[in-house]
Structure formats: C-alpha cells, structure tokens
Amino acid sequence: MSDRFDCGECKESLYGRKYIQVEDVPHCIPCYDRLYANTCQECKELIAHNARELFYEDRHYHEQCFRCFRCDRSLADEPFTSQGEALLCNDCYCNEFSSKCVACNKTVMPGSKKLEYGGSAWHENCFVCHGCEKPIGDQSFIPDKDNYFCVPCYEGRFAPRCSHCKKALATGGVTYKDETWHKECFVCKGCKTQLAGQPFTSQGDTPYCVKCFSNLYAQKCAACNSPITGFGEGKYISFQDRQWHQPCFKCSCCSVSLVGAGFFPDRDQILCADCNNDQED
C-alpha cells in the first residue's frame, strides 16, 4: 500500500491535484488561498495564488483593482501618489492638489521648481521682472501692485532718491519736510548720530539731536543754567529776558514753588510774597 499524500490542512488527498508547499507542508489550492492569500484593499476579496498581486504601503491589491480613485485609470505601470487611502494618478493629483502658475495657468508639477509669494505660485521661469522681463529666480524683488520688479529695475523706475547721497531708496528710509533720506544718511548736523527713531529738532532746515541743539541754540535756565529744550522737562516759565524750567521756578529764599503764584523780582532773585515782606521789614 503506497504512502498517503494529503493536504496538511483539510487532509484531502493531493494525488492528481495542484498543491503549494509551505514550510515542507503541502496545501491544496483552496486551503492555501484561505490561509495565506491577502485581501484586496479595494474589493475586499482574496487575492488568489495565481492572480497578479500589487503591494503598496502595507496594502494589497488585485492588478485590476489597482486604479486611480478619480479617473479609474490602471496604475499598475503608471506613476501615482496617495491621498489618504485613495490612489491617484499624477494627472488627477496635479489637477486636484497642485498649484497653478498664475502667469501661464498651467499646473506646477510635483518636484518641479516653483516660487510662491502672497498666496500665489509661479513656475521658476514664469516669475519674471515686469521691467526687464528676466526671470527673478532667487534674487530680491519688490512688489508694486500686481507687478514684480528686480531691484535694479525698481530703483531705476520708481524709487525715491535720498536727499543726502542721491541714491535710490528701495525700502525703508526717513521722510522729513517732504524729503527722503536713507536712515544712515539722516544724521545730526553736529555729532553725526543717526536720528531715525529718536527725538530731534531743527534749526531752519538743519536737523539736530536734542543734545547738540541744546548746546548750540537752547535758552539756559536762570536757576540751574541747563538748556531748556522742551524735551523731557515739560513746561517752562519766561519773565522778561529770563527763562526757568518749571521745577526750577521757586523762591530764592525758601524754595517754595512759584508756579501759578505771585512773585517779586529782586535783582537776580525771585521771591515769594512772604519772603519779600520779610525783606521789606
């Protein structure tokens, strides 16, 4: 009597039948498919041993089920990408998710160079200067309404000129008395300190920092002999040809504040009513 040759799972005889051996154990085809075949991600049916199987990111597909989610094109021999669990051919992916160039209205293909600005996208060669019409690439540029200019074209056409050095101001700068300066050109006439962002004043059309203006032009307080600039000291008092910082305007004898009160000049001194009466007595 010959040895039996049975399926290792269902024990049915394999004589005259196709079988597949797994780890030296023979299996009939139905048992093999049930035990080892993968389930198709798309149709949820088993992928039989004799079917062409495609595999992508832990997912298995029948060849005929491996298709674009949008246009139903076979992806077996086509480039594709995925959006969640959906597979998309490159054309459908680009139409749905890729940017369109605002210059030529064509899709900016994945992997190609593009430029983005203000929520819009361009092919690298479509982002050109409105003046010289050359691609701007990775150079600096300046927007002007709906147009874009390379720096040389913008400076040549639109940029204001610095009142000091006469060179173009591409960005930033300081405006004073209807004229423009580079920040580094707008300086104190006296000490050459940059004045942008700090208090300053002028003598005629010439700007000065507070310190230089005070030393050169400000009146001196009759009490402390410091300049009265109007910057930081608040109001001041003026009487005849003398001026005082408001905190300095006080009785020369008792030091009581005379701001808003009557006072009596006595040569170089100013006196409150009480001290003046005491001197008269």
Side-chain angles (χ1 to χ4, degrees):
M1 187 176 192
S2 61
D3 293 335
R4 293 185 60 82
F5 185 54
D6 298 336
C7 172
E9 179 67 19
C10 69
K11 307 306 180 183
E12 291 187 7
S13 174
L14 295 176
Y15 284 114
R17 299 174 62 188
K18 290 183 179 180
Y19 67 91
I20 298 174
Q21 194 158 294
V22 179
E23 295 181 354
D24 297 329
V25 179
H27 293 74
C28 66
I29 298 304
C31 286
Y32 176 85
D33 284 346
R34 178 171 53 82
L35 292 173
Y36 298 107
N38 293 304
T39 301
C40 176
Q41 176 74 19
E42 182 65 23
C43 71
K44 310 306 180 186
E45 298 291 336
L46 289 178
I47 303 173
H49 71 285
N50 58 350
R52 185 182 178 191
E53 179 177 344
L54 299 178
F55 174 79
Y56 175 71
E57 290 188 350
D58 296 326
R59 290 175 278 174
H60 302 261
Y61 300 84
H62 293 105
E63 180 181 15
Q64 65 272 20
C65 294
F66 197 66
R67 312 182 77 83
C68 174
F69 179 74
R70 287 284 182 265
C71 69
D72 206 36
R73 177 194 302 178
S74 173
L75 300 177
D77 299 305
E78 294 280 344
F80 66 92
T81 188
S82 64
Q83 190 69 19
E85 292 189 356
L87 302 177
L88 296 169
C89 65
N90 271 5
D91 290 342
C92 288
Y93 180 84
C94 292
N95 289 335
E96 189 160 346
F97 299 104
S98 293
S99 304
K100 286 192 180 295
C101 174
V102 297
C104 68
N105 202 36
K106 295 180 180 179
T107 299
V108 182
M109 298 298 292
S112 63
K113 288 186 177 181
K114 70 175 179 178
L115 295 170
E116 294 182 313
Y117 178 77
S120 298
W122 290 260
H123 293 108
E124 184 179 37
N125 291 331
C126 290
F127 190 63
V128 299
C129 171
H130 191 71
C132 63
E133 297 185 350
K134 294 180 180 179
I136 294 174
D138 57 359
Q139 301 177 56
S140 298
F141 66 91
I142 300 170
D144 182 67
K145 298 180 181 177
D146 293 330
N147 298 317
Y148 303 89
F149 293 86
C150 65
V151 174
C153 284
Y154 184 84
E155 290 182 347
R157 289 188 176 203
F158 304 109
R161 300 281 166 175
C162 175
S163 295
H164 175 71
C165 69
K166 308 307 178 185
K167 295 181 180 179
L169 282 89
T171 58
V174 176
T175 300
Y176 177 64
K177 290 189 174 181
D178 296 327
E179 294 184 336
T180 54
W181 285 263
H182 293 107
K183 289 182 179 180
E184 58 271 21
C185 292
F186 189 63
V187 297
C188 171
K189 179 69 173 179
C191 65
K192 308 304 180 185
T193 299
Q194 289 188 27
L195 297 177
Q198 64 171 307
F200 68 91
T201 187
S202 63
Q203 179 67 16
D205 291 331
T206 305
Y208 289 91
C209 69
V210 174
K211 183 177 180 180
C212 287
F213 180 83
S214 299
N215 292 335
L216 292 171
Y217 300 108
Q219 298 287 343
K220 299 293 193 296
C221 176
C224 70
N225 203 39
S226 296
I228 299 173
T229 65
F231 294 94
E233 294 97 352
K235 297 179 180 180
Y236 66 94
I237 309 297
S238 179
F239 176 70
Q240 294 180 348
D241 59 349
R242 290 182 289 172
Q243 289 80 32
W244 292 262
H245 296 113
Q246 194 175 72
C248 296
F249 191 61
K250 52 191 176 182
C251 177
S252 301
C253 290
C254 68
S255 298
V256 68
S257 174
L258 297 176
V259 177
F263 65 93
F264 296 88
D266 182 15
R267 295 183 295 277
D268 292 335
Q269 296 182 328
I270 51 174
L271 303 174
C272 64
D274 290 342
C275 290
N276 183 66
N277 291 335
D278 290 343
Q279 288 195 4
E280 290 180 355
D281 293 342

